[in-house]
Amino acid sequence: LMATIGELERHAQPTGHVPIERLGTIRFHEVTYQYEYDPQRSDALNGVSLVIEPNTTVGLVGPSGAGKSTLAELLLSLRQPTSGRITIGDIDLVDIQRSDWARLTALVPQDQQLTPTSIADNIDFLRGLDRADIVGAAHRAHVDRDIVAIADGYDHIVGSRSQGLSGGQRQRVAIARSLAGHPQLLGLDEPTSALDATTERFFRRTLDDLRGKMTIVVIAHRPTTIEACDRIIEIRDGT
């Protein structure tokens, strides 16, 4: 137990001290990241430099293991670069107050998890949002009609295994959860990898609706997702 506590303390996330209200231009400056548990000590990312302008939709493409998810996690400050730095405007990301950065950003992971509470609570996610904000987020995620068609609607209890919701509906509820906080930067990790064609069309409509209104970074494989992006960044072998 003490060894585990010591490990967590040695890798504590930086708290930051600079407040931020608006998302500026994102720049990666020669960013390298290395996983400590990698026995070969190879770089997951090696000297990556790129620029992401505000309110653009950027697609990350490349083979499995190329470093796409690592780049997205660094961007959302879930990991810190081994070397190099990431700046937002002229502020180093590690110096930004984490509470502000958490408010400005949202992530929809590939394997989304819903809690055994109501659909409304899953979208709210302990933020104390008004019902209007919850419904509005569901509408932007194109899942509102599905929810109201279920018995009890937004008050439907999802259950421990997401009973009553299909995989595509769970994905759109997860997207609604991220949108409910009105983020300025949205990360989507392979959002259509396991979706059927109908749900993929709903997702594309959501991307089209959000385009130009926030910065979106999406790990993309399917052509319909790639077509919705303003820029494509290809990652191979961490470069």
Side-chain angles (χ1 to χ4, degrees), residues 184-206:
Q184 296 179 26
L185 170 62
L186 177 63
L188 300 159
D189 191 351
E190 302 193 48
T192 60
S193 60
L195 301 185
D196 55 51
T198 300
T199 304
E200 186 179 0
R201 285 197 300 270
F202 280 124
F203 174 75
R204 173 61 190 270
R205 287 172 60 186
T206 297

Side-chain angles (χ1 to χ4, degrees), residues 83-153:
S83 64
R85 65 194 188 107
I86 303 168
T87 58
I88 311 300
D90 57 355
I91 308 172
D92 198 307
L93 181 53
V94 297
D95 294 331
I96 294 175
Q97 287 184 3
R98 288 196 63 81
S99 58
D100 284 354
W101 193 243
R103 175 177 50 80
L104 292 174
T105 63
L107 171 67
V108 180
Q110 182 178 5
D111 183 19
Q112 69 283 347
Q113 299 292 327
L114 300 185
T115 60
T117 55
S118 70
I119 294 175
D121 286 341
N122 268 280
I123 297 175
D124 175 41
F125 211 60
L126 302 175
R127 288 173 288 194
L129 302 174
D130 294 334
R131 180 58 68 99
D133 288 331
I134 294 171
V135 174
H139 179 75
R140 293 195 299 277
H142 294 283
V143 72
D144 177 57
R145 290 186 179 181
D146 297 65
I147 294 173
V148 297
I150 300 173
D152 298 328

Side-chain angles (χ1 to χ4, degrees), residues 2 18 31 56 66 77-79 91 98 107 109 111 118 136 155 159-160 165 171 186 188 194 197 214 234:
M2 295 306 297
V18 180
V31 170
T56 57
S77 197
L78 300 177
R79 300 183 184 277
I91 308 172
R98 288 196 63 81
L107 171 67
D111 183 19
S118 70
D155 296 319
S160 59
L165 296 180
Q171 177 70 291
L186 177 63
L188 300 159
M214 65 177 65
E234 182 178 12

Side-chain angles (χ1 to χ4, degrees), residues 2 4 12-13 15 22 35 46 62 67 77 109 113 148 162 172 176 186 189 192 194 198 200 206 215-216 230 237:
M2 295 306 297
T4 300
Q13 293 284 350
T15 56
R22 300 293 303 173
Y35 289 96
N46 185 6
S77 197
Q113 299 292 327
V148 297
S162 304
R172 282 179 283 155
L186 177 63
D189 191 351
T192 60
T198 300
E200 186 179 0
T206 297
T215 304
I216 302 173
D230 302 309
D237 299 323

Side-chain angles (χ1 to χ4, degrees), residues 1-12 36:
L1 180 59
M2 295 306 297
T4 300
I5 291 174
E7 183 75 7
L8 292 171
E9 289 177 341
R10 285 193 298 274
H11 295 85
E36 292 190 4

